Amino acid sequence: MKAIVVTDRTAGTAAMKLVERPGPQAAINDVVVQVHASGFVPTELAWPSTWTDRLDHDRTPSIPGHELAGVVAALGYGTTGLSVGQRVFGLADWYRDGTLAEYVAIEARNLAPLPGDVDFTVGASLPISGLTAWQGLFQHGRLRAGQSVLAHGAAGAVGSMVTQLAREAGAYVIGTGRAADRQTVLDFGAKEFVDLDNNALEEVGEVDLVFDVIGGDIQKRSAGLIRVGGILVTVVGPAEARPSDGVAVDFVVEPDRAQLSEIVQRVRDGRLRTNIGNISTLDDAVAALNPTERRKGNTIIRVRP
């Protein structure tokens, strides 16, 4: 099969190569999925799991990519709940070869059915951004109707999902970004926009929940905005700053079939819009994943026409 591999930890996406690799085999409780579309997060090349297994043994050359949509091609021993030929989408294990390939072996529990009226490209854009937003808001942030949310990077893949899901849940959303992102953020449902380059973040006032995808100084300043009992949720590692009268939670997104089903249903009925910035073929993926200009939204690789 064709696959994108990485071998040089220091070179980033520039060291990606399109190669021929043996097709994967389904282990116990696995399925093999014929990948139709795959998502890619550039920061994963900095994750230890891209380069080593759970015992810290080198596993290069490794196949990156962890979001996928496709069709079940084979079942491993003991696999239940899915069938050959079924359309699926989901989030692959961090420590195994990923989804920038024509086939991938993945635990069945990490997949959810993809309805026939949802395009594979859309399906592949949902797992990381959708699950990150869902888990950050509802599991870790304990968001309730009537609360206020400060969503950083609200024009991005995760931030746009945070904005839409928080708005649907009845929250008052303040989105941040660059000046050029203003209308995009408002279109996704934010009530206010803060230009982080030109506006004073502190003018936002107190909020119940901060969803941080930036870290650093922005995270520290945001912590000071959280009202008593509020929550700072971050996905950029252990929080460097904590609210004086609230809590800080950092987390790594996890696969969840039920949550994926909730997310894709919202796409089907128009409550949730995806944020796809660029679409490429697998043959052109190396160039697409080394862009010469800033792009907003997910980069999706169409593995099959």
Side-chain angles (χ1 to χ4, degrees):
M1 68 175 184
K2 291 181 181 179
I4 300 290
V5 299
V6 289
T7 56
D8 187 341
R9 193 167 185 168
T10 63
T13 55
M16 286 181 161
K17 295 180 180 179
L18 180 64
V19 301
E20 290 285 338
R21 286 278 294 266
Q25 300 297 311
I28 295 173
N29 295 322
D30 273 358
V31 298
V32 172
V33 176
Q34 183 184 55
V35 180
H36 284 240
S38 170
F40 174 74
V41 180
T43 55
E44 70 182 68
L45 297 187
W47 304 343
S49 57
T50 299
W51 307 99
T52 64
D53 62 20
R54 284 185 168 82
L55 298 176
D56 203 33
H57 298 149
D58 181 86
R59 66 179 190 89
T60 56
S62 59
I63 301 173
H66 295 284
E67 300 176 283
L68 80 153
V71 174
V72 176
L75 304 178
Y77 179 78
T79 298
T80 61
L82 296 173
S83 58
V84 172
Q86 185 173 5
R87 301 172 93 248
V88 292
F89 74 120
L91 182 60
D93 189 286
W94 309 122
Y95 288 90
R96 296 173 63 173
D97 276 343
T99 61
L100 288 179
E102 292 181 308
Y103 292 88
V104 64
I106 180 173
E107 287 185 82
R109 64 179 180 174
N110 292 355
L111 297 168
L114 182 68
D117 56 356
V118 178
D119 185 79
F120 288 115
T121 302
V122 172
S125 74
L126 294 174
I128 289 181
S129 56
L131 289 173
T132 299
W134 187 283
Q135 292 169 17
L137 287 172
F138 305 124
Q139 286 183 224
H140 304 292
R142 302 192 294 275
L143 182 66
R144 303 186 306 275
Q147 291 188 317
S148 54
V149 175
L150 179 62
H152 286 306
V158 173
S160 61
M161 290 286 181
V162 170
T163 299
Q164 293 176 85
L165 289 172
R167 177 204 61 197
E168 186 204 359
Y172 184 94
V173 183
I174 304 163
T176 77
R178 298 179 178 178
D181 297 330
R182 176 182 297 273
Q183 194 56 51
T184 299
V185 171
L186 296 176
D187 288 345
F188 276 122
K191 294 295 186 181
E192 297 181 37
F193 175 79
V194 177
D195 174 0
L196 292 178
D197 292 327
N198 300 297
N199 299 143
L201 181 60
E202 288 70 21
E203 292 180 0
V204 166
E206 291 188 330
V207 296
D208 296 295
L209 190 154
V210 171
F211 201 117
D212 170 47
V213 297
I214 300 174
D217 181 61
I218 294 297
Q219 182 191 98
K220 293 176 182 177
R221 292 163 62 194
S222 298
L225 302 177
I226 295 175
R227 61 172 47 99
V228 175
I231 300 176
L232 168 69
V233 174
T234 182
V235 295
V236 295
E240 299 176 14
R242 293 182 176 274
S244 57
D245 293 303
V247 298
V249 179
D250 66 275
F251 75 101
V252 176
V253 63
E254 298 179 349
D256 190 293
R257 179 179 292 178
Q259 292 173 5
L260 284 171
S261 297
E262 291 278 2
I263 290 163
V264 79
Q265 182 56 45
R266 283 163 170 76
V267 172
R268 296 180 75 196
D269 61 27
R271 287 178 287 166
L272 191 63
R273 289 190 290 126
T274 55
N275 190 4
I276 298 173
N278 185 47
I279 299 174
S280 174
T281 65
L282 186 61
D283 288 340
D284 296 328
V286 172
L289 297 173
N290 285 274
T292 57
E293 59 186 29
R294 176 179 177 247
R295 290 172 176 163
K296 292 179 287 188
N298 291 325
T299 295
I300 302 299
I301 307 303
R302 288 288 302 203
V303 179
R304 294 181 62 80

